[in-house]
Structures are given as C-alpha cells and as structure tokens.
Amino acid sequence: MAARRVSYFFSRSLSLPTSPASLAKKYGLSGKGMQRYTTATVLEEPVITPPVQVNYTKLLINGQFVDSASGRTFPTLDPRTGEVIAHVAEGDAEDVNRAVSAARKAFDEGPWPKMTAYERSRILLRFADLVEKHMQELAQLETWDNGKPYEQALTAELPLFVRLFHYYAGWADKIHGLTVPADGPHHVQVLHEPIGVAGQIIPWNFPLLMYAWKVGPALACGNTIVLKSAEQTPLTALYVSKLFHEAGLPDGVLNVVSGYGPTAGAALASHMDIDKLAFTGSTDTGKVVLELAAKSNLKPVTLELGGKSPFIVCEDADIDRAVEIAHFALFFNQGQCCCAGSRTFVHERIYDEFVEKAKARAAKRTVGDPFKKGIEQGPQIDSDQFEKVLRYIRSGIDGNAKLECGGERVGSKGFFIQPTVFSNVQDNMLIAQEEIFGPVQSILKFKEIDEVIKRANATRYGLAAGVFTKNIDTANTLSRGLRAGTVWVNCYDVFDAAIPFGGYKMSGVGREKGIYSLNNYLQVKAVVSS
C-alpha cells in the first residue's frame, strides 16, 4: 500500500506583560487546582446513538474474560455528552500479576514461541481478515469511546490497522540470524530470539492504531504480551483481542488489563517478570515509567512521547495548499496528536495572507457529533483535556497573542471546542512552548532559514516537523537541520507501516513501525562453537 495520511480530511488582542512561568502558575498548567474557562453556547442537537453493542468490559487474562480481583469497575464516558457508555473492570496490581503469570507460562511452556514462524504469520493474517469483517462495529466503538469522526475511524484508521498487521505478518517468517566469520577455528551464529513477556501501555488518542503499533511487532517476533489500555478508551482493545483468539491465538499470549496509570500502569512498569516495556503517552508520565522500569529489573523501555512540532512555510510556497496542509497538521483528530504541527512558522513576506486564509479555513471547520456525516471535528477526550485546552487559550490571549478566531467551547454539554487560531505568537509564550493537545493553531513569523531552524529546534521535544517549499535545496537544508524523528516535506501525517516513527530529545526513546520496531522485541544471542 502506498504511503498515506492517517486521514483524508483534509479578533482581539489583550495585553498582559506576564512571564511564561507565572502564566503557567496562573492557569494551573503545571500543577493542580484548575478552573474552567466558560464560553458561549450554541443550540443543542440530539446525539446519534451508534448501533454497536458493548459486549466486552472485563479483563482478558489467559484467554478468558474475567472480573477484576477487587470486583471494582470504572465508567468509560461518551465525550459528546459526558455520559456513561459502560462500566469496565478496573484492574490493579493483583490483576497485573495474574496477567503476567499467564503471559510467562504461555511464553515458557506454551506453543506460541515454539510454533513455526509461518504459522504465527497465518494467525496474524486471519486476525486481520476478522478485523476487516468487523470494521464498522470497531469504528463505531472507537468513535463512541474517543470522539473522533466516524468517517476518519472507518475509512482511514481501521484500514491502516489492518495494513499494519498484514505488514507484521509478512515479517514473522523473515526474522533470522547471521553466521559471522571469526578469527580462529570457531563457528559463530548470531540468533535473534523473542525477548519474552512484553508490557505495553497505549494512549487514548489513537487506541486501535497504537494497539497495532505495539502488538503487531511483539507477536510477529514470538513474544507474549500484557497490554494496559487507556482508562478513557478501553473498549476497542478488548473487542479486537477477542477477535485475536477467534483467529487461533493461544491462551495467555495476549492479555489485556483495563485500569488507571498509577495502579495498573505502575504495576506493569515495575513488574519484575516483564522483560520489555513499551509506552506511548506524555513526556512527564514517560519519565515515571522509565524510572519504575529502571528501579525494578532494568527492563528495556521504548517511549513514544510528546511533541511541539514546527510546520515551516517558506516564502515560495503555494499559500492555499500550505494553509490546507498546515490546518490538517494541527487540527487532525481534534488536535490530539503527539506530532501535531502546533508551531506554524510562516515567512514574513507571506505571513499576513497566510494568517487571513488560515483564519478563514478554521472558521469553516465543521464541529459536532462525530457520527454525523461531514463532521471534521468531534469533542476533546474528557473534561480534563477540555479545561486544559481552554486554559491554554486564555494564556495565549493574556500573553498578547492575537486571537484570530475560535477560543470558546461549542455547546453546553460534552467537550467540544471551537477551532482556534492565534497570530502574533512569540517563542516565549506558553502556547508556543508547551504541548496543548487541542485545536489551537499558533502562527509565528520568521525571516531567514537559519533563524527558523534555530527557533524550531529550541524546544525539549523533537518528534516531527513539516516543511513547505518548492525549492529542493531549501527542503534539504531544513530536513537536515531540524532535530526531529520525522520530517514531512510538502505533506504531513503520512503514516505507512514501513516508516519508522519516534522522536529526538524528550519526545522518546526508540522507534516504532517498520523494521526498526522488530528490534524492540528481539534479544541477540551469540553462539560460538569450537
């Protein structure tokens, strides 16, 4: 399949000379005790009830759906309304122990690591076929639990999910070692063996895709898994894992524990019998995960963390096309994307025109029930994210950025926010420094290429970047100069199963997808014979 974007969906200024640190404290962006920034409401419409049934709400351990050891459950909410969709079993340390024990037994004694790689490949392919048959139900669950547009889930994310498992099924029987020449009368083999029991913690913004990014390579390499889903979006991981068992996956190979980070997540990260850990989430939580892994058994950790990605529009750009791609780079998935192009740098000669057109494009963006056809933007995931985004908007206004459009909530229930555009954004503002994770575009002005490279790199993050220019020399200069794991030139959010993804600096450790992801789940063993 050709490389593709994850989706085809394609004023006033208030002066308050306040430092970023004091603004962060004022709006509770670096601590607790937040206050909601309330805004105008619009006429309410009844939400669409999806026809899908919620059939799987228990923990999946050793091939069986079971209650949590404590018997506790937690609610998963519809972000369109804040109402409860279902109550899901709340796993904690005892449940993680049960899941790890099942995964360990399946690895040490079960058929999965010992069966032929070809048979593992066939199970992965059968699973992908089952997902294709259930794509509508899965897309409905994903939208209901997460709030992303149904068209996006069905026509972009589910096909890519299937493609990822086809890709890793193809790799399963092509993982092999080496024969190495050595000095002296020795025969040397280098073996690539499965690492063992993998612990995996996935986020709420792309529940199914992050499941595929982690589960696919781990199973292709012959490992067993304990996966913790995000507490905001537990439903689709349980559904697809049931399909995996229908495809013939042996019991205990894939275990799913729903629960909270400080309990289930911490227990998984610190578990002494987990051989490898993979985490996607915020940089601050990633630090905690890394510390827990180090303090337990020094398990290797893959981290895919936050970003504050620059999108650089050069003076020779086709402005209309640049505006559309910059809009997509930021607003896709309600802005809840770790690699969102959240710092839009525009050359000073085209800046004013770009701002006006970006403002007009944002004003046309359709916001509403994500099950409704033609809707581009649904709600933020929950009240915490909703309030956090609104506080960042207020900090931008008070920091003297110009609010070109948006800035308010949509409706009186649910977690909808107007597409928001700021101009006159300076590098020292909070909205230019911190990951907002919402529909807020910050447009900055630059003059010289060397200058914008330096400014784009002046961040603790280095996940991705975008470059928009007609000049190949400019594109090469920027691509080499930007310290980011992915640089998209004249495009954005192109995700293919074979393209590695990960960050520089505090955007993470290691790479996911492509051949590089296999290395995360393999041990290297040298066998020397005389």
Side-chain angles (χ1 to χ4, degrees), residues 16-30 395 430 434:
L16 183 64
T18 313
S19 70
S22 60
L23 281 173
K25 183 177 180 181
K26 174 179 178 180
Y27 295 105
L29 296 171
S30 300
S395 80
L430 284 180
E434 299 188 6

Side-chain angles (χ1 to χ4, degrees), residues 58-65 238 241-242 245 254-256:
K58 296 184 178 183
L59 311 179
L60 179 61
I61 297 177
N62 202 29
Q64 303 295 320
F65 283 106
L238 294 168
S241 297
K242 175 65 165 62
H245 284 84
L254 175 59
N255 307 273
V256 180

Side-chain angles (χ1 to χ4, degrees), residues 472-530:
I472 189 64
D473 291 334
T474 301
N476 286 335
T477 298
L478 286 166
S479 298
R480 294 300 183 94
L482 293 168
R483 293 185 52 76
T486 300
V487 179
W488 287 293
V489 179
N490 297 331
C491 59
Y492 209 85
D493 279 349
V494 177
F495 290 104
D496 184 88
I499 301 174
F501 186 80
Y504 284 32
K505 298 185 281 187
M506 294 180 73
S507 285
V509 178
R511 293 294 181 270
E512 295 191 295
K513 297 195 294 111
I515 189 173
Y516 297 91
S517 64
L518 301 173
N519 297 331
N520 298 331
Y521 296 99
L522 293 169
Q523 283 280 23
V524 178
K525 177 187 288 182
V527 179
V528 184
S529 304
S530 178

Side-chain angles (χ1 to χ4, degrees), residues 271-307:
H271 205 287
M272 293 296 293
D273 210 20
I274 291 289
D275 298 307
K276 187 267 180 309
L277 190 67
F279 170 82
T280 295
S282 73
T283 294
D284 289 342
T285 304
K287 291 179 182 179
V288 175
V289 166
L290 193 60
E291 182 180 12
L292 291 172
K295 286 184 174 180
S296 51
N297 61 344
L298 281 175
K299 59 181 72 66
V301 181
T302 303
L303 300 172
E304 196 264 280
L305 306 176

Side-chain angles (χ1 to χ4, degrees), residues 224-428:
T224 60
I225 296 169
V226 178
L227 180 139
K228 192 199 88 68
S229 56
E231 60 267 28
Q232 297 90 342
T233 54
L235 298 179
T236 49
L238 294 168
Y239 191 118
V240 292
S241 297
K242 175 65 165 62
L243 295 180
F244 240 132
H245 284 84
E246 290 183 22
L249 192 71
D251 291 348
V253 172
L254 175 59
N255 307 273
V256 180
V257 177
S258 308
Y260 293 98
T263 50
L268 192 60
S270 59
H271 205 287
M272 293 296 293
D273 210 20
I274 291 289
D275 298 307
K276 187 267 180 309
L277 190 67
F279 170 82
T280 295
S282 73
T283 294
D284 289 342
T285 304
K287 291 179 182 179
V288 175
V289 166
L290 193 60
E291 182 180 12
L292 291 172
K295 286 184 174 180
S296 51
N297 61 344
L298 281 175
K299 59 181 72 66
V301 181
T302 303
L303 300 172
E304 196 264 280
L305 306 176
K308 194 65 180 174
S309 301
F311 185 95
I312 300 170
V313 182
C314 299
E315 63 178 312
D316 64 344
D318 177 332
I319 295 181
D320 290 339
R321 186 160 176 254
V323 165
E324 185 61 31
I325 294 182
H327 178 88
F328 173 81
L330 185 282
F331 290 101
F332 173 63
N333 207 51
Q334 292 71 250
Q336 297 171 151
C337 192
C338 54
C339 58
S342 53
R343 290 182 295 154
T344 307
F345 288 95
V346 180
H347 193 275
E348 62 181 8
R349 292 181 184 172
I350 60 171
Y351 183 84
D352 292 341
E353 182 182 357
F354 184 96
V355 168
E356 285 303 310
K357 290 184 174 181
K359 172 183 175 180
R361 177 62 181 91
K364 291 195 303 183
R365 188 170 182 82
T366 54
V367 181
D369 187 339
F371 281 105
K372 187 176 179 181
K373 187 174 179 60
I375 290 295
E376 295 177 282
Q377 181 176 314
Q380 308 310 119
I381 185 66
D382 60 17
S383 60
D384 286 347
Q385 284 297 124
F386 173 81
E387 292 170 355
K388 175 184 171 184
V389 172
L390 289 176
R391 289 197 311 280
Y392 273 117
I393 291 171
R394 174 58 67 184
S395 80
I397 295 169
D398 289 351
N400 205 29
K402 183 180 180 182
L403 180 64
E404 296 285 349
C405 66
E408 299 181 343
R409 75 176 297 168
V410 176
S412 60
K413 66 178 181 179
F415 312 121
F416 298 88
I417 295 176
Q418 292 176 343
T420 300
V421 175
F422 280 105
S423 64
N424 192 36
V425 178
Q426 306 302 313
D427 293 338
N428 63 349

Side-chain angles (χ1 to χ4, degrees), residues 123-137:
I123 291 173
L124 292 174
L125 290 172
R126 286 198 295 268
F127 167 69
D129 290 344
L130 284 171
V131 170
E132 281 192 301
K133 292 179 181 178
H134 293 270
M135 282 177 66
Q136 287 190 342
E137 301 100 298

Side-chain angles (χ1 to χ4, degrees), residues 41-112:
T41 61
V42 297
L43 183 66
E44 302 293 334
E45 294 182 0
V47 297
I48 296 172
T49 301
V52 67
Q53 297 295 314
V54 179
N55 294 322
Y56 308 110
T57 58
K58 296 184 178 183
L59 311 179
L60 179 61
I61 297 177
N62 202 29
Q64 303 295 320
F65 283 106
V66 298
D67 292 323
S68 62
S70 68
R72 290 194 299 268
T73 64
F74 65 94
T76 184
L77 305 180
D78 182 345
R80 300 175 300 167
T81 62
E83 296 171 356
V84 175
I85 299 172
H87 288 86
V88 180
E90 181 185 337
D92 57 21
E94 185 174 349
D95 301 296
V96 169
N97 286 337
R98 289 194 292 162
V100 173
S101 294
R104 175 56 62 193
K105 184 175 181 180
F107 185 78
D108 290 345
E109 304 174 21
W112 184 250

